[in-house]
Amino acid sequence: MSLRWQQALQRAWWHPGESAWSLALRPLSWLVRAVVAGRTWRQSRPDAQARLVEQRRAAGLDACPILVVGNLIVGGAGKTPTTLALIRWLQTQGWHPGVVSRGYGRRGTGLCDVGPTTPATECGDEPLLLHRRSGVPVCVNADRLAAAQRLRELHPDVNVIVADDGLQHTRLPRDAQLIVFDARGIGNGHVLPAGPLRQPWPDTPPARSLVIYNADAPSTPWPGHLARRRLAGVVALDTWSSSQRQPPQADTLHALQTRSRTHPVLAAAGLAEPERFFTMLERQWGLHIVRHPLPDHADLSALTWPDGVDDVIVTEKDAVKLMAMASTPGPRIWVAPLDFELPDAVSAQLADWLMPWHPPSSRSAAP
């Protein structure tokens, strides 16, 4: 779908009331509701639950906790930053996490064990970012249960599995869920395609679920926890792309801020909600920017920048698709990593839920 049509549809989804789009697409939403209702009924049957237990045992995952990160809406709400924060927390507790993901937007269809040089077109931009940022094993497959089994076969030290964007993938058993919302909440409250919801809105969260708001205040009726988030600084794309990762330097950001007063920085973001990134650049750092939204999950291999641009700043999600530009002539490209911390109450509840698996001592935790 073109960027223009994406924007038109999303305006209808996030409009507080009815729109011509939502009214026209409502009959299709009824079909989606019927499909979801049938799937929910089948999965609630005792034989289906027993089958899940047996599939988990057969895959060798019965002794390995599975944590799912996801949301109820289409598009980004902060799942990837939440997944990274969860990985970091697990490492501080002495766990050895691995990640499974669908790999949305990739061209490949088979199972992919992600490495630092795996093309984003083969594994997906978000799985590649998760691997490069965290260093943990990541396996991609449409069947997340098969991906989890393969992950453990290839990386036997993995003792907890994190499923990125796996909330609706009910074939994958789970021991806890992190459900993420941003400031947009559930939009107009309609199910796809009339609205952004992947499933009908329930009155209460599912069992063993923690709700995290990637926002300044709760944006749905569900009780939840506010995440702490901020941009960590800027790193040159060639430095960010190298195997020797370096933390952002304050003087680099200061120089960029100074230049932006006379030559605004081109801010490019291929996100479901790019305005959130643009606003953080302005409010947190006071950067003078020119907005340059890109389609979410788009292939950026043929991307060109407007004439006269000296500096470009991008998200890490886009940086994984721009690494080939690190050594080519053109404007200076800067990457702005996002730091995201789990709320203390979420960490405490997860620690309690993970106790049956006899977690490793935090004395062996990763630095």
Side-chain angles (χ1 to χ4, degrees):
M1 181 184 294
S2 70
L3 180 59
R4 179 183 174 185
W5 285 106
Q6 281 189 37
Q7 291 172 336
L9 187 58
Q10 292 209 15
R11 280 194 297 270
W13 284 353
W14 305 115
H15 191 276
E18 295 290 358
S19 68
W21 278 80
S22 63
L23 289 171
L25 295 172
R26 187 77 61 81
L28 294 177
S29 291
W30 297 336
L31 292 176
V32 174
R33 282 178 171 270
V35 170
V36 173
R39 184 181 64 193
T40 301
W41 176 78
R42 290 192 300 272
Q43 291 161 356
S44 64
R45 296 172 53 182
D47 60 328
Q49 296 300 311
R51 187 163 55 251
L52 267 181
V53 172
E54 175 56 28
Q55 288 173 342
R56 181 172 187 169
R57 186 202 63 76
L61 302 173
D62 48 345
C64 183
I66 299 173
L67 310 177
V68 169
V69 179
N71 61 12
L72 270 67
I73 62 168
V74 172
K79 295 185 300 294
T80 300
T82 302
T83 301
L84 285 167
L86 176 58
I87 291 168
R88 287 194 298 271
W89 177 79
L90 288 166
Q91 289 173 325
T92 66
Q93 304 304 301
W95 292 91
H96 299 283
V99 175
V100 295
S101 177
R102 171 189 172 190
Y104 181 82
R106 71 186 184 123
R107 295 174 185 168
T109 57
L111 191 144
C112 178
D113 182 39
V114 182
T117 60
T118 303
T121 53
E122 183 179 331
C123 65
D125 49 15
E126 289 165 347
L128 181 56
L129 171 57
L130 289 170
H131 177 68
R132 288 186 60 85
R133 183 81 187 266
S134 70
V136 305
V138 177
C139 274
V140 172
N141 197 21
D143 184 344
R144 261 63 64 107
L145 182 62
Q149 181 177 3
R150 185 62 173 158
L151 181 74
R152 289 268 287 166
E153 292 171 352
L154 294 173
H155 308 278
D157 58 323
V158 167
N159 56 13
V160 58
I161 290 173
V162 178
D164 172 52
D165 197 13
L167 194 63
Q168 284 76 30
H169 190 71
T170 52
R171 173 169 157 75
L172 181 70
R174 71 276 319 267
D175 302 292
Q177 300 181 137
L178 273 61
I179 305 177
V180 186
F181 296 97
D182 62 15
R184 300 170 298 171
I186 58 173
N188 61 15
H190 293 310
V191 175
L192 284 168
L197 284 171
R198 302 183 185 191
Q199 61 190 68
W201 176 253
D203 293 333
T204 58
R208 296 181 73 86
S209 295
L210 293 165
V211 178
I212 297 178
Y213 290 104
N214 178 25
D216 296 328
S219 54
T220 82
W222 283 358
H225 310 275
L226 303 182
R228 299 181 290 272
R229 68 203 192 284
R230 65 186 305 276
L231 295 171
V234 293
V235 181
L237 178 62
D238 57 350
T239 302
W240 186 90
S241 303
S242 70
S243 57
Q244 301 297 321
R245 300 293 296 275
Q246 297 180 15
Q249 301 297 316
D251 56 346
T252 303
L253 175 58
H254 178 70
L256 189 62
Q257 290 169 322
T258 302
R259 289 199 301 274
S260 78
R261 294 174 192 145
T262 54
H263 295 85
V265 177
L266 186 74
L271 305 170
E273 181 59 20
E275 185 60 30
R276 185 168 54 209
F277 176 63
F278 301 149
T279 301
M280 292 183 75
L281 293 174
E282 293 175 325
R283 292 182 180 176
Q284 183 178 323
W285 290 342
L287 279 180
H288 297 262
I289 64 171
V290 174
R291 286 160 164 76
H292 191 65
L294 301 167
D296 194 14
H297 297 287
D299 181 1
L300 305 182
S301 58
L303 181 67
T304 58
W305 306 115
D307 293 336
V309 172
D310 296 324
D311 293 285
V312 177
I313 188 166
V314 301
T315 68
E316 289 188 297
K317 179 178 171 181
D318 294 315
V320 298
K321 296 180 287 187
L322 296 173
M323 290 189 291
M325 290 188 178
S327 57
T328 59
R332 293 176 291 266
I333 302 178
W334 306 95
V335 184
L338 178 68
D339 277 350
F340 196 94
E341 294 182 37
L342 293 182
D344 293 339
V346 170
S347 302
Q349 182 62 78
L350 285 173
D352 182 63
W353 282 343
L354 288 170
M355 281 297 293
W357 283 271
H358 306 292
S361 168
S362 60
R363 289 175 296 180
S364 63

mmCIF file with all atom_site columns, all heavy atoms in Angstrom, residues 9-25:
data_model
loop_
_atom_site.group_PDB
_atom_site.id
_atom_site.type_symbol
_atom_site.label_atom_id
_atom_site.label_alt_id
_atom_site.label_comp_id
_atom_site.label_asym_id
_atom_site.label_entity_id
_atom_site.label_seq_id
_atom_site.pdbx_PDB_ins_code
_atom_site.Cartn_x
_atom_site.Cartn_y
_atom_site.Cartn_z
_atom_site.occupancy
_atom_site.B_iso_or_equiv
_atom_site.pdbx_formal_charge
_atom_site.auth_seq_id
_atom_site.auth_comp_id
_atom_site.auth_asym_id
_atom_site.auth_atom_id
_atom_site.pdbx_PDB_model_num
ATOM 1   N N   . LEU A 1 9  ? -5.952  5.822  5.417  1.00 0.00 ? 9  LEU A N   1
ATOM 2   C CA  . LEU A 1 9  ? -6.603  4.785  6.210  1.00 0.00 ? 9  LEU A CA  1
ATOM 3   C C   . LEU A 1 9  ? -6.348  5.000  7.688  1.00 0.00 ? 9  LEU A C   1
ATOM 4   O O   . LEU A 1 9  ? -7.257  4.851  8.525  1.00 0.00 ? 9  LEU A O   1
ATOM 5   C CB  . LEU A 1 9  ? -6.098  3.409  5.769  1.00 0.00 ? 9  LEU A CB  1
ATOM 6   C CG  . LEU A 1 9  ? -6.804  2.200  6.380  1.00 0.00 ? 9  LEU A CG  1
ATOM 7   C CD1 . LEU A 1 9  ? -8.291  2.234  6.078  1.00 0.00 ? 9  LEU A CD1 1
ATOM 8   C CD2 . LEU A 1 9  ? -6.192  0.906  5.861  1.00 0.00 ? 9  LEU A CD2 1
ATOM 9   N N   . GLN A 1 10 ? -5.122  5.371  8.049  1.00 0.00 ? 10 GLN A N   1
ATOM 10  C CA  . GLN A 1 10 ? -4.808  5.563  9.456  1.00 0.00 ? 10 GLN A CA  1
ATOM 11  C C   . GLN A 1 10 ? -5.520  6.778  10.032 1.00 0.00 ? 10 GLN A C   1
ATOM 12  O O   . GLN A 1 10 ? -5.888  6.784  11.215 1.00 0.00 ? 10 GLN A O   1
ATOM 13  C CB  . GLN A 1 10 ? -3.296  5.672  9.653  1.00 0.00 ? 10 GLN A CB  1
ATOM 14  C CG  . GLN A 1 10 ? -2.582  4.363  9.374  1.00 0.00 ? 10 GLN A CG  1
ATOM 15  C CD  . GLN A 1 10 ? -1.307  4.210  10.168 1.00 0.00 ? 10 GLN A CD  1
ATOM 16  O OE1 . GLN A 1 10 ? -1.050  4.914  11.129 1.00 0.00 ? 10 GLN A OE1 1
ATOM 17  N NE2 . GLN A 1 10 ? -0.490  3.261  9.762  1.00 0.00 ? 10 GLN A NE2 1
ATOM 18  N N   . ARG A 1 11 ? -5.730  7.813  9.226  1.00 0.00 ? 11 ARG A N   1
ATOM 19  C CA  . ARG A 1 11 ? -6.517  8.946  9.717  1.00 0.00 ? 11 ARG A CA  1
ATOM 20  C C   . ARG A 1 11 ? -7.921  8.490  10.101 1.00 0.00 ? 11 ARG A C   1
ATOM 21  O O   . ARG A 1 11 ? -8.484  8.935  11.105 1.00 0.00 ? 11 ARG A O   1
ATOM 22  C CB  . ARG A 1 11 ? -6.582  10.055 8.659  1.00 0.00 ? 11 ARG A CB  1
ATOM 23  C CG  . ARG A 1 11 ? -5.336  10.922 8.596  1.00 0.00 ? 11 ARG A CG  1
ATOM 24  C CD  . ARG A 1 11 ? -5.605  12.191 7.798  1.00 0.00 ? 11 ARG A CD  1
ATOM 25  N NE  . ARG A 1 11 ? -5.947  11.913 6.409  1.00 0.00 ? 11 ARG A NE  1
ATOM 26  C CZ  . ARG A 1 11 ? -5.067  11.818 5.427  1.00 0.00 ? 11 ARG A CZ  1
ATOM 27  N NH1 . ARG A 1 11 ? -3.764  11.976 5.685  1.00 0.00 ? 11 ARG A NH1 1
ATOM 28  N NH2 . ARG A 1 11 ? -5.447  11.576 4.187  1.00 0.00 ? 11 ARG A NH2 1
ATOM 29  N N   . ALA A 1 12 ? -8.487  7.585  9.303  1.00 0.00 ? 12 ALA A N   1
ATOM 30  C CA  . ALA A 1 12 ? -9.822  7.063  9.628  1.00 0.00 ? 12 ALA A CA  1
ATOM 31  C C   . ALA A 1 12 ? -9.778  6.197  10.884 1.00 0.00 ? 12 ALA A C   1
ATOM 32  O O   . ALA A 1 12 ? -10.664 6.271  11.739 1.00 0.00 ? 12 ALA A O   1
ATOM 33  C CB  . ALA A 1 12 ? -10.365 6.262  8.450  1.00 0.00 ? 12 ALA A CB  1
ATOM 34  N N   . TRP A 1 13 ? -8.738  5.373  11.012 1.00 0.00 ? 13 TRP A N   1
ATOM 35  C CA  . TRP A 1 13 ? -8.634  4.498  12.176 1.00 0.00 ? 13 TRP A CA  1
ATOM 36  C C   . TRP A 1 13 ? -8.528  5.280  13.472 1.00 0.00 ? 13 TRP A C   1
ATOM 37  O O   . TRP A 1 13 ? -9.104  4.907  14.489 1.00 0.00 ? 13 TRP A O   1
ATOM 38  C CB  . TRP A 1 13 ? -7.404  3.605  12.031 1.00 0.00 ? 13 TRP A CB  1
ATOM 39  C CG  . TRP A 1 13 ? -7.567  2.480  11.069 1.00 0.00 ? 13 TRP A CG  1
ATOM 40  C CD1 . TRP A 1 13 ? -8.711  2.103  10.431 1.00 0.00 ? 13 TRP A CD1 1
ATOM 41  C CD2 . TRP A 1 13 ? -6.553  1.573  10.638 1.00 0.00 ? 13 TRP A CD2 1
ATOM 42  N NE1 . TRP A 1 13 ? -8.470  1.021  9.624  1.00 0.00 ? 13 TRP A NE1 1
ATOM 43  C CE2 . TRP A 1 13 ? -7.153  0.670  9.739  1.00 0.00 ? 13 TRP A CE2 1
ATOM 44  C CE3 . TRP A 1 13 ? -5.199  1.443  10.931 1.00 0.00 ? 13 TRP A CE3 1
ATOM 45  C CZ2 . TRP A 1 13 ? -6.435  -0.364 9.133  1.00 0.00 ? 13 TRP A CZ2 1
ATOM 46  C CZ3 . TRP A 1 13 ? -4.485  0.430  10.324 1.00 0.00 ? 13 TRP A CZ3 1
ATOM 47  C CH2 . TRP A 1 13 ? -5.089  -0.457 9.427  1.00 0.00 ? 13 TRP A CH2 1
ATOM 48  N N   . TRP A 1 14 ? -7.752  6.361  13.446 1.00 0.00 ? 14 TRP A N   1
ATOM 49  C CA  . TRP A 1 14 ? -7.488  7.079  14.694 1.00 0.00 ? 14 TRP A CA  1
ATOM 50  C C   . TRP A 1 14 ? -8.407  8.264  14.901 1.00 0.00 ? 14 TRP A C   1
ATOM 51  O O   . TRP A 1 14 ? -8.255  9.007  15.863 1.00 0.00 ? 14 TRP A O   1
ATOM 52  C CB  . TRP A 1 14 ? -6.022  7.525  14.721 1.00 0.00 ? 14 TRP A CB  1
ATOM 53  C CG  . TRP A 1 14 ? -5.091  6.375  14.509 1.00 0.00 ? 14 TRP A CG  1
ATOM 54  C CD1 . TRP A 1 14 ? -4.252  6.176  13.451 1.00 0.00 ? 14 TRP A CD1 1
ATOM 55  C CD2 . TRP A 1 14 ? -4.923  5.226  15.343 1.00 0.00 ? 14 TRP A CD2 1
ATOM 56  N NE1 . TRP A 1 14 ? -3.582  4.992  13.578 1.00 0.00 ? 14 TRP A NE1 1
ATOM 57  C CE2 . TRP A 1 14 ? -3.971  4.373  14.738 1.00 0.00 ? 14 TRP A CE2 1
ATOM 58  C CE3 . TRP A 1 14 ? -5.488  4.825  16.562 1.00 0.00 ? 14 TRP A CE3 1
ATOM 59  C CZ2 . TRP A 1 14 ? -3.578  3.169  15.295 1.00 0.00 ? 14 TRP A CZ2 1
ATOM 60  C CZ3 . TRP A 1 14 ? -5.094  3.619  17.115 1.00 0.00 ? 14 TRP A CZ3 1
ATOM 61  C CH2 . TRP A 1 14 ? -4.159  2.804  16.484 1.00 0.00 ? 14 TRP A CH2 1
ATOM 62  N N   . HIS A 1 15 ? -9.392  8.429  14.004 1.00 0.00 ? 15 HIS A N   1
ATOM 63  C CA  . HIS A 1 15 ? -10.400 9.478  14.183 1.00 0.00 ? 15 HIS A CA  1
ATOM 64  C C   . HIS A 1 15 ? -11.301 9.085  15.352 1.00 0.00 ? 15 HIS A C   1
ATOM 65  O O   . HIS A 1 15 ? -11.750 7.942  15.441 1.00 0.00 ? 15 HIS A O   1
ATOM 66  C CB  . HIS A 1 15 ? -11.222 9.637  12.901 1.00 0.00 ? 15 HIS A CB  1
ATOM 67  C CG  . HIS A 1 15 ? -12.092 10.848 12.890 1.00 0.00 ? 15 HIS A CG  1
ATOM 68  N ND1 . HIS A 1 15 ? -13.341 10.869 13.464 1.00 0.00 ? 15 HIS A ND1 1
ATOM 69  C CD2 . HIS A 1 15 ? -11.881 12.108 12.392 1.00 0.00 ? 15 HIS A CD2 1
ATOM 70  C CE1 . HIS A 1 15 ? -13.868 12.066 13.303 1.00 0.00 ? 15 HIS A CE1 1
ATOM 71  N NE2 . HIS A 1 15 ? -13.006 12.832 12.667 1.00 0.00 ? 15 HIS A NE2 1
ATOM 72  N N   . PRO A 1 16 ? -11.582 10.008 16.275 1.00 0.00 ? 16 PRO A N   1
ATOM 73  C CA  . PRO A 1 16 ? -12.348 9.622  17.477 1.00 0.00 ? 16 PRO A CA  1
ATOM 74  C C   . PRO A 1 16 ? -13.767 9.158  17.198 1.00 0.00 ? 16 PRO A C   1
ATOM 75  O O   . PRO A 1 16 ? -14.362 8.455  18.003 1.00 0.00 ? 16 PRO A O   1
ATOM 76  C CB  . PRO A 1 16 ? -12.343 10.910 18.316 1.00 0.00 ? 16 PRO A CB  1
ATOM 77  C CG  . PRO A 1 16 ? -12.046 12.014 17.346 1.00 0.00 ? 16 PRO A CG  1
ATOM 78  C CD  . PRO A 1 16 ? -11.171 11.409 16.298 1.00 0.00 ? 16 PRO A CD  1
ATOM 79  N N   . GLY A 1 17 ? -14.345 9.531  16.074 1.00 0.00 ? 17 GLY A N   1
ATOM 80  C CA  . GLY A 1 17 ? -15.707 9.101  15.768 1.00 0.00 ? 17 GLY A CA  1
ATOM 81  C C   . GLY A 1 17 ? -15.762 8.302  14.478 1.00 0.00 ? 17 GLY A C   1
ATOM 82  O O   . GLY A 1 17 ? -14.762 7.785  13.993 1.00 0.00 ? 17 GLY A O   1
ATOM 83  N N   . GLU A 1 18 ? -16.951 8.204  13.924 1.00 0.00 ? 18 GLU A N   1
ATOM 84  C CA  . GLU A 1 18 ? -17.123 7.484  12.668 1.00 0.00 ? 18 GLU A CA  1
ATOM 85  C C   . GLU A 1 18 ? -16.586 8.315  11.503 1.00 0.00 ? 18 GLU A C   1
ATOM 86  O O   . GLU A 1 18 ? -16.519 9.544  11.563 1.00 0.00 ? 18 GLU A O   1
ATOM 87  C CB  . GLU A 1 18 ? -18.605 7.181  12.435 1.00 0.00 ? 18 GLU A CB  1
ATOM 88  C CG  . GLU A 1 18 ? -19.211 6.239  13.463 1.00 0.00 ? 18 GLU A CG  1
ATOM 89  C CD  . GLU A 1 18 ? -18.693 4.810  13.333 1.00 0.00 ? 18 GLU A CD  1
ATOM 90  O OE1 . GLU A 1 18 ? -17.895 4.547  12.411 1.00 0.00 ? 18 GLU A OE1 1
ATOM 91  O OE2 . GLU A 1 18 ? -19.088 3.968  14.147 1.00 0.00 ? 18 GLU A OE2 1
ATOM 92  N N   . SER A 1 19 ? -16.205 7.620  10.444 1.00 0.00 ? 19 SER A N   1
ATOM 93  C CA  . SER A 1 19 ? -15.760 8.275  9.216  1.00 0.00 ? 19 SER A CA  1
ATOM 94  C C   . SER A 1 19 ? -16.341 7.506  8.044  1.00 0.00 ? 19 SER A C   1
ATOM 95  O O   . SER A 1 19 ? -16.857 6.396  8.200  1.00 0.00 ? 19 SER A O   1
ATOM 96  C CB  . SER A 1 19 ? -14.232 8.296  9.139  1.00 0.00 ? 19 SER A CB  1
ATOM 97  O OG  . SER A 1 19 ? -13.734 6.973  8.974  1.00 0.00 ? 19 SER A OG  1
ATOM 98  N N   . ALA A 1 20 ? -16.217 8.094  6.856  1.00 0.00 ? 20 ALA A N   1
ATOM 99  C CA  . ALA A 1 20 ? -16.713 7.411  5.669  1.00 0.00 ? 20 ALA A CA  1
ATOM 100 C C   . ALA A 1 20 ? -15.996 6.083  5.464  1.00 0.00 ? 20 ALA A C   1
ATOM 101 O O   . ALA A 1 20 ? -16.604 5.077  5.072  1.00 0.00 ? 20 ALA A O   1
ATOM 102 C CB  . ALA A 1 20 ? -16.543 8.316  4.446  1.00 0.00 ? 20 ALA A CB  1
ATOM 103 N N   . TRP A 1 21 ? -14.682 6.069  5.771  1.00 0.00 ? 21 TRP A N   1
ATOM 104 C CA  . TRP A 1 21 ? -13.902 4.837  5.630  1.00 0.00 ? 21 TRP A CA  1
ATOM 105 C C   . TRP A 1 21 ? -14.427 3.753  6.579  1.00 0.00 ? 21 TRP A C   1
ATOM 106 O O   . TRP A 1 21 ? -14.640 2.613  6.174  1.00 0.00 ? 21 TRP A O   1
ATOM 107 C CB  . TRP A 1 21 ? -12.432 5.108  5.920  1.00 0.00 ? 21 TRP A CB  1
ATOM 108 C CG  . TRP A 1 21 ? -11.644 5.687  4.791  1.00 0.00 ? 21 TRP A CG  1
ATOM 109 C CD1 . TRP A 1 21 ? -11.611 6.990  4.393  1.00 0.00 ? 21 TRP A CD1 1
ATOM 110 C CD2 . TRP A 1 21 ? -10.767 4.988  3.912  1.00 0.00 ? 21 TRP A CD2 1
ATOM 111 N NE1 . TRP A 1 21 ? -10.769 7.147  3.323  1.00 0.00 ? 21 TRP A NE1 1
ATOM 112 C CE2 . TRP A 1 21 ? -10.236 5.941  3.005  1.00 0.00 ? 21 TRP A CE2 1
ATOM 113 C CE3 . TRP A 1 21 ? -10.377 3.658  3.788  1.00 0.00 ? 21 TRP A CE3 1
ATOM 114 C CZ2 . TRP A 1 21 ? -9.335  5.602  2.005  1.00 0.00 ? 21 TRP A CZ2 1
ATOM 115 C CZ3 . TRP A 1 21 ? -9.472  3.318  2.786  1.00 0.00 ? 21 TRP A CZ3 1
ATOM 116 C CH2 . TRP A 1 21 ? -8.958  4.277  1.908  1.00 0.00 ? 21 TRP A CH2 1
ATOM 117 N N   . SER A 1 22 ? -14.586 4.103  7.850  1.00 0.00 ? 22 SER A N   1
ATOM 118 C CA  . SER A 1 22 ? -14.980 3.088  8.833  1.00 0.00 ? 22 SER A CA  1
ATOM 119 C C   . SER A 1 22 ? -16.382 2.564  8.554  1.00 0.00 ? 22 SER A C   1
ATOM 120 O O   . SER A 1 22 ? -16.655 1.368  8.721  1.00 0.00 ? 22 SER A O   1
ATOM 121 C CB  . SER A 1 22 ? -14.891 3.656  10.247 1.00 0.00 ? 22 SER A CB  1
ATOM 122 O OG  . SER A 1 22 ? -15.784 4.741  10.434 1.00 0.00 ? 22 SER A OG  1
ATOM 123 N N   . LEU A 1 23 ? -17.274 3.430  8.106  1.00 0.00 ? 23 LEU A N   1
ATOM 124 C CA  . LEU A 1 23 ? -18.624 2.982  7.776  1.00 0.00 ? 23 LEU A CA  1
ATOM 125 C C   . LEU A 1 23 ? -18.614 2.056  6.568  1.00 0.00 ? 23 LEU A C   1
ATOM 126 O O   . LEU A 1 23 ? -19.297 1.027  6.543  1.00 0.00 ? 23 LEU A O   1
ATOM 127 C CB  . LEU A 1 23 ? -19.523 4.187  7.513  1.00 0.00 ? 23 LEU A CB  1
ATOM 128 C CG  . LEU A 1 23 ? -19.890 5.030  8.746  1.00 0.00 ? 23 LEU A CG  1
ATOM 129 C CD1 . LEU A 1 23 ? -20.594 6.305  8.328  1.00 0.00 ? 23 LEU A CD1 1
ATOM 130 C CD2 . LEU A 1 23 ? -20.750 4.215  9.705  1.00 0.00 ? 23 LEU A CD2 1
ATOM 131 N N   . ALA A 1 24 ? -17.827 2.393  5.550  1.00 0.00 ? 24 ALA A N   1
ATOM 132 C CA  . ALA A 1 24 ? -17.790 1.581  4.334  1.00 0.00 ? 24 ALA A CA  1
ATOM 133 C C   . ALA A 1 24 ? -17.161 0.210  4.584  1.00 0.00 ? 24 ALA A C   1
ATOM 134 O O   . ALA A 1 24 ? -17.555 -0.782 3.955  1.00 0.00 ? 24 ALA A O   1
ATOM 135 C CB  . ALA A 1 24 ? -17.022 2.322  3.236  1.00 0.00 ? 24 ALA A CB  1
ATOM 136 N N   . LEU A 1 25 ? -16.202 0.167  5.510  1.00 0.00 ? 25 LEU A N   1
ATOM 137 C CA  . LEU A 1 25 ? -15.475 -1.084 5.751  1.00 0.00 ? 25 LEU A CA  1
ATOM 138 C C   . LEU A 1 25 ? -16.074 -1.922 6.875  1.00 0.00 ? 25 LEU A C   1
ATOM 139 O O   . LEU A 1 25 ? -15.581 -3.017 7.164  1.00 0.00 ? 25 LEU A O   1
ATOM 140 C CB  . LEU A 1 25 ? -14.011 -0.764 6.079  1.00 0.00 ? 25 LEU A CB  1
ATOM 141 C CG  . LEU A 1 25 ? -13.205 -0.119 4.935  1.00 0.00 ? 25 LEU A CG  1
ATOM 142 C CD1 . LEU A 1 25 ? -11.845 0.331  5.442  1.00 0.00 ? 25 LEU A CD1 1
ATOM 143 C CD2 . LEU A 1 25 ? -13.037 -1.101 3.786  1.00 0.00 ? 25 LEU A CD2 1
#
